[in-house]
Amino acid sequence: MAGKTHDFLMVSKSILPEAILKTAKVKELLAQGEVYTIHEAVELVGLSRSAYYKYKDGVFPFYEASRERIITISLLLENKAGVLSHVLNFIASVKGNVLTINQGIPLQGVANVSISIETAGMADTPENLLAGLGEISGVRKIEVIGQT
């Protein structure tokens, strides 16, 4: 079908079948240069070559899916001076490009903030970006709400 687009889901690893998890591991081993052939990689993880070829084009880690894309995150921030500034400074420190910021009026000591970030050229993976944001004092919750 011409113009077909791919639909993606964000799914917890804990519910995926073993063959899909092993396919992701094979791709990781190949990308990191730990093995040089698909044969070596599938042998190492205990996956058949046919299963690898069946899933290889549909399985990739979150950071790979997010590279050179825009991710939109929702944050729940404490209503304290400097919290949003720390968030923005951290994003800048990993070379994320902030495209939009929307902040709601603080209610009951917290404010909802959504930020769209262009990830092309980032010095780190989006996963590490999210982990780093979660360590900032005053950040109560982070959720990825969209990717393009």
Side-chain angles (χ1 to χ4, degrees):
M1 163 185 339
K4 180 180 175 186
T5 61
H6 296 293
D7 291 329
F8 294 97
L9 300 172
M10 192 173 306
V11 179
S12 172
K13 284 176 151 180
S14 66
I15 67 167
L16 291 174
E18 189 175 346
I20 291 176
L21 295 172
K22 286 182 176 184
T23 300
K25 183 63 177 173
V26 166
K27 290 181 76 172
E28 180 183 328
L29 291 170
L30 290 164
Q32 293 176 348
E34 293 181 35
V35 294
Y36 297 103
T37 67
I38 292 168
H39 178 74
E40 285 179 281
V42 296
E43 287 263 322
L44 189 63
V45 302
L47 180 69
S48 71
R49 286 173 52 101
S50 63
Y52 170 75
Y53 284 110
K54 179 178 180 179
Y55 297 120
K56 75 175 182 70
D57 293 330
V59 175
F60 40 86
F62 170 72
Y63 70 84
E64 186 178 311
S66 301
R67 282 275 182 211
E68 299 182 15
R69 298 180 188 265
I70 298 168
I71 60 172
T72 302
I73 58 175
S74 173
L75 301 105
L76 189 61
L77 305 180
E78 292 178 10
N79 185 26
K80 290 191 216 172
V83 175
L84 180 57
S85 179
H86 289 310
V87 166
L88 296 174
N89 286 335
F90 182 78
I91 294 168
S93 76
V94 297
K95 299 191 179 1
N97 183 24
V98 174
L99 301 174
T100 65
I101 303 170
N102 295 300
Q103 179 176 356
I105 296 173
L107 299 171
Q108 299 176 350
V110 293
N112 286 305
V113 178
S114 66
I115 303 174
S116 293
I117 305 162
E118 185 178 30
T119 60
M122 254 182 24
D124 210 339
T125 66
E127 288 173 320
N128 288 339
L129 167 71
L130 297 174
L133 290 172
E135 294 175 7
I136 296 172
S137 178
V139 175
R140 289 207 185 157
K141 182 179 176 185
I142 303 169
E143 188 177 345
V144 176
I145 57 175
Q147 296 184 69
T148 59

